[in-house]
Amino acid sequence: MNLQIEDKGAAVLLSVMEERLDAHNSGDLKNQMLKLFEEGKSNLVVDLQAVRFVDSSGLGALVSGFKNASSRNGNLKLASLQLQVKSMFELTRLHRVFEIYTDSNEALASFQQ
Amino acid sequence: MTSDRIAVDIKVPNQTRYLRLIGHIGENIARTLRNFSGDRDKLAYDLNLVLTEAMTNAIQHANEGDPAKEVHIEISIAEQRLVIRVFDSGEGFDVKQYAQPRHPLDEHGRGIYLIHTIMDEITYRPTGSGHVLEMVKRL
């Protein structure tokens, strides 16, 4: 999967550079997040600006990351959701689980407060 | 007005790398339909999602991830009725178990629920060599 990872201090920014987040590539995202948790990171921002399609496996990978971050007293926040991707979070009620920000700068700033 | 009559029959290896291909066929059908007055972008996303979820279920739960197996998909539209059939060659899975919404923090099991929210009818039944998941939507 094409994934950009940048340590921004207060949180690590993961930018998913794929059009689809589905059963074919969501395992890669999950594994990359696990690697960051093992390195001691606990605050993540996942930027989905490039993603125009997410399926249940993609949602599952993000839920896995959220639960891992929470268990380490951290958080996983989302940024830059396209309209139809956001609808998927609403349909599955996951918009009540994740903090969702307009862009990654806002999401990163929320970790610095 | 001429009504849409489309039939697509495709077989792909039992591998997730083909999800994109199948999903895009669904999107393109939504964008091509002549007689559809609803939200075309939503229909395109929905058909992409239904095909992606149904094929993922076939790959992971019915064909047990065996890359040598095949997934067979039929899509047909006639009389404003869209029918998608996804054939697997495995032991099958309990489709009813997944029909209800999951707890938001569950990591798995949302696929069939999502299909239920989009399609009007769903059946899963044995065939001679496996099972078929049939999903119907009135357009």
Side-chain angles (χ1 to χ4, degrees):
Chain A
M1 137 173 287
N2 191 352
L3 187 67
Q4 284 179 6
I5 302 176
E6 300 164 78
D7 194 338
K8 297 286 193 181
V12 177
L13 173 62
L14 295 96
S15 303
V16 180
M17 309 305 284
E18 298 276 352
E19 180 197 316
R20 290 171 63 94
L21 183 55
D22 63 14
H24 185 56
N25 58 12
S26 57
D28 292 346
L29 174 63
K30 198 169 157 178
N31 289 338
Q32 284 291 337
M33 290 191 291
L34 279 175
K35 211 170 131 195
L36 290 168
F37 294 131
E38 280 162 12
E39 288 168 7
K41 311 292 184 194
S42 58
N43 289 327
L44 308 183
V45 171
V46 179
D47 188 298
L48 296 175
Q49 187 171 16
V51 177
R52 66 174 191 88
F53 176 84
V54 64
D55 74 351
S56 64
S57 305
L59 295 175
L62 293 167
V63 168
S64 161
F66 174 83
K67 290 201 293 195
N68 268 304
S70 302
S71 71
R72 289 165 170 80
N73 296 317
N75 203 342
L76 184 159
K77 303 184 183 185
L78 301 174
S80 319
L81 271 57
Q82 294 194 21
L83 201 62
Q84 290 187 308
V85 170
K86 197 170 180 190
S87 298
M88 284 289 287
F89 283 83
E90 288 161 359
L91 182 62
T92 52
R93 293 178 295 163
L94 283 170
H95 64 303
R96 295 181 193 163
V97 170
F98 291 99
E99 286 182 38
I100 299 174
Y101 292 85
T102 312
D103 59 48
S104 55
N105 286 336
E106 270 189 29
L108 289 165
S110 73
F111 277 111
Q112 284 158 347
Q113 283 163 5
Chain B
M1 198 186 286
T2 317
S3 85
D4 294 290
R5 290 187 70 85
I6 298 172
V8 177
D9 191 307
I10 186 166
K11 288 179 182 169
V12 290
N14 190 53
Q15 296 165 30
T16 54
R17 62 177 290 109
Y18 296 96
L19 289 172
R20 173 191 299 262
L21 170 68
I22 299 301
H24 281 187
I25 290 172
E27 277 194 336
N28 285 330
I29 286 175
R31 300 204 187 284
T32 309
L33 287 179
R34 207 189 300 252
N35 294 335
F36 181 73
S37 55
D39 182 340
R40 211 172 271 270
D41 286 340
K42 183 176 186 310
L43 183 68
Y45 195 103
D46 284 353
L47 297 189
N48 189 347
L49 185 63
V50 165
L51 285 160
T52 299
E53 297 293 352
M55 184 169 158
T56 300
N57 266 293
I59 294 171
Q60 294 178 342
H61 301 298
N63 285 349
E64 292 155 349
D66 180 351
K69 287 187 175 173
E70 234 175 22
V71 183
H72 174 196
I73 294 166
E74 288 178 0
I75 307 167
S76 67
I77 296 168
E79 312 297 331
Q80 294 299 100
R81 193 175 142 92
L82 166 75
V83 182
I84 298 173
R85 294 190 188 94
V86 177
F87 297 82
D88 62 62
S89 50
E91 297 297 313
F93 62 98
D94 182 6
V95 71
K96 286 199 178 70
Q97 185 193 333
Y98 297 106
Q100 300 303 316
R102 312 300 287 183
H103 184 277
L105 289 179
D106 279 353
E107 289 173 39
H108 301 285
R110 283 190 184 86
I112 295 291
Y113 166 69
L114 289 171
I115 294 173
H116 269 284
T117 65
I118 294 166
M119 304 301 280
D120 297 311
E121 298 163 35
I122 300 184
T123 55
Y124 188 63
R125 58 175 191 272
T127 60
S129 55
H131 290 78
V132 58
L133 179 64
E134 182 174 291
M135 299 157 284
V136 179
K137 185 175 178 66
R138 289 179 291 280
L139 296 171

